[in-house]
Amino acid sequence: MASIIAALAAMSLAAAGIAVGRHLITSRSEDRAWLALAAIVRDLEGATQWGMCTEARDCPQKKISLEYNVPVLLADQIGWLVAGELRRCARDCQAFVDGVESLEVTVDIPASGGLTHRQPFMQRHGSTVRALEVTLAMRDGRRFSRAVSHGKIK
């Protein structure tokens, strides 16, 4: 009888250990997402210009976009993109955080009558953007986002 109780106790402790391990992995993933968003927002808040760069000829970071074949979120000359992992590109592209599946950027664009339209950020939007929301989709399916305003609202 004592051996059955001991076996049940051992199984309970093993299950608790597995649950704690899963929680720690989830917490680390969440910490990475918030760290990445804080760094992206810091770059955006310090920038005089925002942009979304593709391989179009008028893109200031066309080389990066062509190299990775993905759109690049620009904060002045600093670029952010996802190619295998989240990368920050200043002089060259460095892996910043792993576990990121995609980087999505939605913008608020002034419209007539004081209204604002929300759209995916495109290179053609240029300086008409008032605010944007950066969303990181993680490989585990969770999404994290932060919003930032340009501070130049007319």
Side-chain angles (χ1 to χ4, degrees):
M1 186 65 157
S3 63
I4 294 173
I5 293 172
L8 289 173
M11 286 177 25
S12 295
L13 287 173
I18 291 170
V20 168
R22 285 183 184 150
H23 174 71
L24 289 175
I25 290 170
T26 302
S27 296
R28 283 193 298 260
S29 174
E30 186 172 322
D31 291 345
R32 285 193 303 263
W34 288 121
L35 168 72
L37 283 169
I40 293 169
V41 168
R42 181 198 62 222
D43 285 346
L44 290 167
E45 287 176 336
T48 58
Q49 289 186 321
W50 297 339
M52 190 57 119
C53 187
T54 61
E55 61 276 356
R57 22 172 215 259
D58 59 344
C59 173
Q61 295 289 351
K62 175 173 58 174
K63 179 181 170 219
I64 295 170
S65 185
L66 284 171
E67 179 179 344
Y68 290 99
N69 199 28
V70 295
V72 180
L73 172 62
L74 295 176
D76 288 334
Q77 295 300 312
I78 297 172
W80 288 91
L81 61 98
V82 174
E85 61 258 329
L86 181 66
R87 297 177 183 273
R88 183 178 187 268
C89 304
R91 292 184 185 145
D92 58 347
C93 291
Q94 301 283 329
F96 193 80
V97 170
D98 64 344
V100 178
E101 182 73 25
S102 67
L103 169 71
E104 301 165 12
V105 184
T106 306
V107 295
D108 290 342
I109 299 175
S112 61
L115 299 174
T116 301
H117 291 292
R118 296 206 90 195
Q119 300 175 3
F121 196 18
M122 308 284 279
Q123 186 169 331
R124 64 181 165 81
H125 289 132
S127 61
T128 61
V129 174
R130 281 192 177 173
L132 54 82
E133 180 180 14
V134 178
T135 302
L136 295 179
M138 306 303 283
R139 288 192 188 113
D140 64 7
R142 294 182 305 154
R143 299 169 65 80
F144 299 87
S145 67
R146 291 260 324 252
V148 62
S149 173
H150 224 307
K152 299 179 186 176
I153 298 174
K154 297 175 184 166

